[in-house]
Amino acid sequence: MSDLEPDNELLVTCAHETQDLLTIQMKEIQSKKVQTTEEWLRNYSLESLQLTLEHLMNEGNVILDSRSGAEEIELAEKAVTNFEVRVSGVIELYQQRIQWLLKDSRKVFGLVKGTRVGLVVDVSGLHDRRSLEGFQKDLLFLIDEQLCYKKQLYCLSFGTEISPLWESPKNIDVHVLREARQWVQQLAPAGGCNLLKALKHVLTIKELNSLVIIIQSCPDQSLEILADYAQQCVLGRKLLVHAVTYDCDSPAAITTVKNLAEVVSGRYHCYSSEGENSDSSDVNLLLQESQKAKDLLKSIKQTFQRHVDGSLISGIADVSTEVANAAIPCFLPKPPKHEGPLIIQTQHFLTRTSTDWLKTNGLKAKKLNLYQVLAPNAFSPVEEFVPILQKTVSSTLHEKAMVQFEWHDGTMKNIHVDIPILYQYQKLLAKMVRIYEKRINWLSVASRRIWGSVCEQRVVILVDISMTNSTCIIHIQQALRLLLEEQMSDKDYFNIIAFGSHIVPWQLELVPSQPENLEKAWRWVLSLQCSGSRNFMSALRRAVEVDFKEKDKQKSQGLYLLTTGIPDQDTHTISAYMAEVCRGFDLQLHVCLFSVMEDADSSGIIPARYATPAETATAFKEIVQAANGRFHWFGEAGIFESDDIAVIASEMEKAKNYSQKCASLVESVKRRSGGQPAHPFVPEAGSNMAVPKEKRKPQKLPSPKPTALSLARMHIKDKHGAEKNTSARVLAWRPTSAKAGIPPVQTLKQCPQAENRRKYKPRKQPECSMLVFYTDKGRNVGAVYRSYPKTVCIRKDVPSIRLPKQEEICSSKEWLTKYSIKKLKLELPRLMFGPACTHQKEIVESLRKEVSAKHCAVFPSVEINGVVRHLQVQSKELEIYIEQMEKVLLRYLQRIQWLLSGSRRLFGTILEANVCVLIDTSGSMDPYLPQITKELTSLIWEQLRKNEVRFNLMRFAEHTESWREHLVEATDKTCHDAVQWVSKFHAHGNTCILTALQKALSFQDVEALYILTDGKPDTSCNLILKEIERLRKQQHIKIHTISFSYVDREANAFLKELASQTGGRYHCSLGDVDGQFAAYRMMTEGFDDEDDPVFPYFEGDDLKKLTEEVAKARGFLKQAKSFRLLLQK
């Protein structure tokens, strides 16, 4: 007995003691290791504890009812009672776990997991002293109760700007905890809630494995931006994200926290000091499991009712129904509110297939093809027939300085290996592989895991609801929900067609993808019932002949089929039909095949046609190939096959192959430099490296007897060389041995123009080549001299451009001096046409008329600016130009969107470091004052505070009033004061611009004035212009004018002249909404049509110059596409 462990009083002698056992086990687990509810339920869920109705059925015996003859299950009453006691004990255990989660710091912030924790705290919601002190007290409790047991800690607070405590995570000790507590006690309010900036900073710290985000107000950025950024950063990284709202009553903030946690597979916790908190992901999981246990007890009481000799009996059919209802197989995580309203997400990027994506991000598009990199240093082997030897001789230079390499066309090339370039090339390949991995991860999550990427704008969804899918209807509904939420909001039109034996369309024709239509479609999906077989052909005909009846007039049309098995009709019949209807039209069929587990099939239902999963996949691949679509095959275990992922994986394999070949080249050169001749490197099987032959030591051969032809060559060569300058002959002399003497100096003949020879550069003679041959008669030898003029390059290559990703704070004029089409050297006429491309005509005297040159009929002719020119360019060059121009246009549109966002929409961009903003508060501004006050607040925080601009504010009407007597630094305190002062504006009186300008110009160190007004001044405009010109002679201060009037042309003309005279800019926000919409349409629809969409006429200098450049670029792009079409014809 000594070897046995002592009795710990955990021995179960009765079923009633199970509750005590589970309670004690729970306390031991909590003391040893803190677990999230999801981890805890892996050991204590009903399924893991074997407390389901199915487990209870397994304990009974099957008997036959003597009256009805039906099979029934007989259970001992004691067994059912013990089962109910155990379930009741588990329910109480769940309640205890909930109570434990709602104690101490866990009640406020939830349970913090991970060992290296980043604490990100929002301080924008601390409005008063009381709330600040309460928040600081709760944070100190969090540090003392949970964070002190971690290994590393990183603290960061954020408002409008971020403020980290340390540069990197610190190992937790006494000193680190003391610094963290001091940091908490020094927290203070700081502007807005710039959560995106905080995430950009903290997600770059790779040491962290847990992130706690605490916000107190609604973030400044939208949910879509935050979720998309967080999801992209967390992909492929083991980071536990725990989002918390602290005493926040904003529904938008709570929604942001929940969705952010859902996107990154994290947890959320919402705390309110006014009452008990129950809105937590950990608590909700426990409540769901507890409700499941209560439903189980209820179903047991309803199912087992008849007592026979101390036993409980129930029909097998009744119990089977209960089991089916209790345990529906589901490969997708069913959300708590499966039947709730959709949470529609808006995509801010253009969805593309992987094939289209690789056209701009593939190795060839990025000029990272191995043969593109090696081409400048690749040379073809030189072979020449030597008449003396009577054989073809190859050059042996490559054996000393180069490596032979098999080219993509099967020929051999001599490669000069530049090791630094190849090392850099391998780094770029590794970077591209990481990008491709991110793309694959992105394609493997959310709705793209089921549907792939939906790229078309007009979409019809075909849903298989045959009877064989009755057990996975939840899967189908959830798949449609994800699709409607995540990928359908940016489409133009859509419809859903469900099919079994009969066709059930949601709408009679395509409807716009508006939120209300998406919600109606979801409600219709919830009502679907499975029945019949898979009449796929009828559904296909319905979609093509009704929804896509005008397929010849529309573009970007797609059919998406979600099915679990092979269709009723023959595969070849469907393929032939799809090939016919898709030929010549922009219409594709994409198949999403879901493989259901074999044991999850509906009870004994035999489909009309049976096929194995592999046979089904092969059949749909044939159909997809005929319809120019994509195939996507997935199941409970994940994605089995996907065309989108396969294309990316192929590109990754190509990059890996290129990298291995680079390593082989580098290794070969290293071995050569190490002094190992002969076989420097033996390539692996499948490598393109050619092994050079063993070099033999050259032997000295006797000189051959000269023939008549060789003697003639030597005679002509000597005669021709004698005419050259003697000085050149001396320079070209080389000694034949080490004992050779210096050649004698030869006398130069004096030339009358010898003195002036230095003044004139001698004209370079064309290089000559000589051909020697035998004559027909006798053994005479003749020679022919030929001269080849140097070729002149007619056109310039299309340059590779580099554009900035971040926006520069400067005017459009300054920005275009660096990135205009002219500066980027992308003007089409200069690139495509040279002087030799001009159409040539000359008068032929014999014909007495102008005749075109012979080559004019070879090249296509186009008219450029009234001059006929020949198009001597290749389609590939035009493709490169179109790609570069579209890249430039996209960057221009991003700049326009930036200028039309935030406070820049009304005030333009603040460029200088010391400014004064003048606001017109005359009586005519009364209707606009609330909007101006709001925009001024945004200006103060977004531009002045963010860019640390020294500033002052001034309002003017009949009299002027300045906020400060001098310029002040933009700190949080001064910005708060400025916002409070602006909020007290009221409109009255006239417009005294001159007095305001005179006072503003008197401020010390001011560099520029920004004046916002809606009308003409009360005094003479000429008087103001003359007075400002006089004042500016003493100090050069720019005046930027901002017009708030769209109808007073005279007032706008005055403001334009005032800005022009002082070197400033004129700004007017007229047409901002139309401009944003036009930019959005161009970015989503492309640049095919030059006339639609078009920007409105912007009067402001910045937007006007940029839109003019956009129009110029679109013109060049249209011209290039027409040239490409001309070459194709």
Side-chain angles (χ1 to χ4, degrees), residues 886-903:
E886 287 181 345
K887 182 178 176 182
V888 171
L889 268 171
L890 187 63
R891 186 64 187 85
Y892 286 169
L893 295 177
Q894 291 172 353
R895 177 80 179 180
I896 290 174
Q897 287 185 326
W898 180 74
L899 290 174
L900 291 173
S901 63
S903 58

Short mmCIF file of all heavy atoms in Angstrom, two decimals, residues 886-903:
data_model
loop_
_atom_site.label_atom_id
_atom_site.label_comp_id
_atom_site.label_asym_id
_atom_site.label_seq_id
_atom_site.Cartn_x
_atom_site.Cartn_y
_atom_site.Cartn_z
N GLU A 886 -1.96 52.89 -66.28
CA GLU A 886 -3.03 52.56 -65.34
C GLU A 886 -2.54 52.67 -63.90
O GLU A 886 -3.29 53.08 -63.01
CB GLU A 886 -3.56 51.16 -65.63
CG GLU A 886 -4.39 51.08 -66.91
CD GLU A 886 -4.91 49.68 -67.17
OE1 GLU A 886 -4.40 48.74 -66.53
OE2 GLU A 886 -5.82 49.53 -68.02
N LYS A 887 -1.30 52.32 -63.68
CA LYS A 887 -0.72 52.45 -62.34
C LYS A 887 -0.64 53.93 -61.93
O LYS A 887 -0.97 54.29 -60.80
CB LYS A 887 0.68 51.82 -62.34
CG LYS A 887 1.39 51.85 -61.01
CD LYS A 887 2.74 51.17 -61.14
CE LYS A 887 3.52 51.26 -59.82
NZ LYS A 887 4.86 50.64 -59.95
N VAL A 888 -0.25 54.78 -62.87
CA VAL A 888 -0.18 56.23 -62.59
C VAL A 888 -1.58 56.78 -62.34
O VAL A 888 -1.80 57.57 -61.40
CB VAL A 888 0.50 56.96 -63.77
CG1 VAL A 888 0.39 58.46 -63.60
CG2 VAL A 888 1.96 56.56 -63.85
N LEU A 889 -2.54 56.40 -63.17
CA LEU A 889 -3.92 56.87 -62.99
C LEU A 889 -4.48 56.46 -61.64
O LEU A 889 -5.15 57.26 -60.96
CB LEU A 889 -4.80 56.32 -64.12
CG LEU A 889 -4.95 57.21 -65.35
CD1 LEU A 889 -5.65 56.45 -66.45
CD2 LEU A 889 -5.71 58.48 -65.03
N LEU A 890 -4.21 55.24 -61.23
CA LEU A 890 -4.69 54.77 -59.94
C LEU A 890 -4.10 55.60 -58.80
O LEU A 890 -4.79 55.95 -57.84
CB LEU A 890 -4.34 53.30 -59.76
CG LEU A 890 -4.92 52.61 -58.52
CD1 LEU A 890 -6.44 52.60 -58.58
CD2 LEU A 890 -4.40 51.18 -58.43
N ARG A 891 -2.83 55.95 -58.94
CA ARG A 891 -2.19 56.78 -57.90
C ARG A 891 -2.77 58.20 -57.90
O ARG A 891 -2.96 58.80 -56.82
CB ARG A 891 -0.68 56.84 -58.13
CG ARG A 891 0.08 57.55 -57.01
CD ARG A 891 -0.06 56.79 -55.71
NE ARG A 891 0.51 57.49 -54.59
CZ ARG A 891 -0.12 58.41 -53.87
NH1 ARG A 891 -1.37 58.74 -54.17
NH2 ARG A 891 0.45 59.01 -52.86
N TYR A 892 -3.07 58.74 -59.08
CA TYR A 892 -3.70 60.07 -59.15
C TYR A 892 -5.07 60.05 -58.44
O TYR A 892 -5.41 60.98 -57.70
CB TYR A 892 -3.89 60.49 -60.60
CG TYR A 892 -2.62 60.92 -61.31
CD1 TYR A 892 -2.58 61.11 -62.69
CD2 TYR A 892 -1.45 61.14 -60.60
CE1 TYR A 892 -1.43 61.50 -63.34
CE2 TYR A 892 -0.29 61.53 -61.25
CZ TYR A 892 -0.28 61.70 -62.61
OH TYR A 892 0.87 62.10 -63.25
N LEU A 893 -5.84 58.98 -58.67
CA LEU A 893 -7.17 58.89 -58.05
C LEU A 893 -7.06 58.76 -56.53
O LEU A 893 -7.88 59.33 -55.80
CB LEU A 893 -7.93 57.70 -58.63
CG LEU A 893 -8.28 57.79 -60.12
CD1 LEU A 893 -8.96 56.52 -60.58
CD2 LEU A 893 -9.18 58.99 -60.39
N GLN A 894 -6.07 58.04 -56.06
CA GLN A 894 -5.86 57.94 -54.61
C GLN A 894 -5.53 59.32 -54.03
O GLN A 894 -6.00 59.66 -52.94
CB GLN A 894 -4.74 56.95 -54.31
CG GLN A 894 -5.10 55.51 -54.62
CD GLN A 894 -3.91 54.58 -54.48
OE1 GLN A 894 -2.78 55.02 -54.27
NE2 GLN A 894 -4.16 53.28 -54.62
N ARG A 895 -4.75 60.09 -54.74
CA ARG A 895 -4.42 61.45 -54.29
C ARG A 895 -5.67 62.32 -54.26
O ARG A 895 -5.87 63.11 -53.33
CB ARG A 895 -3.37 62.05 -55.23
CG ARG A 895 -2.98 63.50 -54.92
CD ARG A 895 -2.00 63.59 -53.81
NE ARG A 895 -1.61 64.98 -53.53
CZ ARG A 895 -0.76 65.35 -52.59
NH1 ARG A 895 -0.20 64.42 -51.81
NH2 ARG A 895 -0.46 66.60 -52.38
N ILE A 896 -6.53 62.19 -55.27
CA ILE A 896 -7.77 62.98 -55.31
C ILE A 896 -8.67 62.59 -54.15
O ILE A 896 -9.26 63.44 -53.48
CB ILE A 896 -8.47 62.79 -56.67
CG1 ILE A 896 -7.66 63.49 -57.78
CG2 ILE A 896 -9.90 63.34 -56.63
CD1 ILE A 896 -8.20 63.24 -59.16
N GLN A 897 -8.80 61.28 -53.90
CA GLN A 897 -9.63 60.85 -52.77
C GLN A 897 -9.09 61.37 -51.45
O GLN A 897 -9.85 61.73 -50.56
CB GLN A 897 -9.70 59.31 -52.74
CG GLN A 897 -10.58 58.72 -53.83
CD GLN A 897 -10.72 57.22 -53.69
OE1 GLN A 897 -9.80 56.53 -53.27
NE2 GLN A 897 -11.88 56.70 -54.06
N TRP A 898 -7.78 61.41 -51.33
CA TRP A 898 -7.17 61.95 -50.11
C TRP A 898 -7.47 63.44 -49.95
O TRP A 898 -7.77 63.90 -48.86
CB TRP A 898 -5.66 61.71 -50.16
CG TRP A 898 -4.93 62.21 -48.95
CD1 TRP A 898 -4.92 61.67 -47.70
CD2 TRP A 898 -4.07 63.36 -48.88
NE1 TRP A 898 -4.12 62.39 -46.86
CE2 TRP A 898 -3.59 63.46 -47.55
CE3 TRP A 898 -3.69 64.32 -49.80
CZ2 TRP A 898 -2.73 64.47 -47.14
CZ3 TRP A 898 -2.82 65.33 -49.39
CH2 TRP A 898 -2.37 65.40 -48.08
N LEU A 899 -7.43 64.18 -51.07
CA LEU A 899 -7.72 65.62 -51.01
C LEU A 899 -9.20 65.88 -50.70
O LEU A 899 -9.54 66.95 -50.20
CB LEU A 899 -7.35 66.28 -52.34
CG LEU A 899 -5.85 66.40 -52.65
CD1 LEU A 899 -5.65 66.94 -54.05
CD2 LEU A 899 -5.15 67.29 -51.63
N LEU A 900 -10.07 64.91 -51.03
CA LEU A 900 -11.51 65.09 -50.79
C LEU A 900 -11.97 64.44 -49.49
O LEU A 900 -13.17 64.29 -49.28
CB LEU A 900 -12.31 64.50 -51.96
CG LEU A 900 -12.20 65.25 -53.28
CD1 LEU A 900 -12.88 64.48 -54.40
CD2 LEU A 900 -12.79 66.65 -53.17
N SER A 901 -11.05 64.04 -48.63
CA SER A 901 -11.41 63.38 -47.38
C SER A 901 -11.07 64.28 -46.20
O SER A 901 -10.18 65.12 -46.27
CB SER A 901 -10.66 62.05 -47.23
OG SER A 901 -9.28 62.27 -47.16
N GLY A 902 -11.80 64.07 -45.10
CA GLY A 902 -11.52 64.78 -43.86
C GLY A 902 -11.67 66.28 -43.99
O GLY A 902 -12.50 66.81 -44.75
N SER A 903 -10.86 66.99 -43.24
CA SER A 903 -10.93 68.46 -43.25
C SER A 903 -10.38 69.06 -44.52
O SER A 903 -10.61 70.25 -44.80
CB SER A 903 -10.16 69.01 -42.04
OG SER A 903 -8.81 68.59 -42.07
#
